[in-house]
Amino acid sequence: LLISDIIMPEMNGKDLAERIKRIYPEIRILFMSGYTADVIAHHGILEEGVCFIQKPFSRDQLAEKLKLTLEK
């Protein structure tokens, strides 16, 4: 499981995930951001169907999103 922020200095989360997927094709990925999913999707960083959780989130919200991500 990879949990990564979408917006990071020097490399965004999508690029990081693509690099890791080349090594571990079966890895599950959960992205997070303080920006809304709509804003991120508008900039072409987040594709439809990608697992995403918006900050801030609670432990319960994270646990639920992790469960859904691992079930995919």
Side-chain angles (χ1 to χ4, degrees):
L1 173 67
L2 169 67
I3 302 173
S4 176
D5 205 314
I6 293 282
I7 309 297
M8 301 183 295
E10 298 183 32
M11 177 187 299
N12 67 44
K14 181 180 175 187
D15 292 341
L16 174 65
E18 288 172 0
R19 286 185 182 190
I20 291 176
K21 269 200 159 297
R22 284 186 223 132
I23 301 166
Y24 302 102
E26 300 299 318
I27 195 166
R28 301 295 199 276
I29 300 165
L30 173 60
F31 291 113
M32 64 180 150
S33 181
Y35 296 98
T36 65
D38 292 343
V39 169
I40 293 169
H42 178 72
H43 292 323
I45 298 171
L46 192 62
E47 299 163 2
E48 189 172 330
V50 172
C51 296
F52 174 80
I53 189 167
Q54 186 173 340
K55 295 180 199 174
F57 49 82
S58 68
R59 275 193 270 180
D60 289 342
Q61 290 169 321
L62 178 59
E64 181 62 29
K65 195 57 83 161
L66 288 172
K67 180 180 174 194
L68 293 172
T69 301
L70 292 171
E71 290 174 350
K72 277 192 157 192

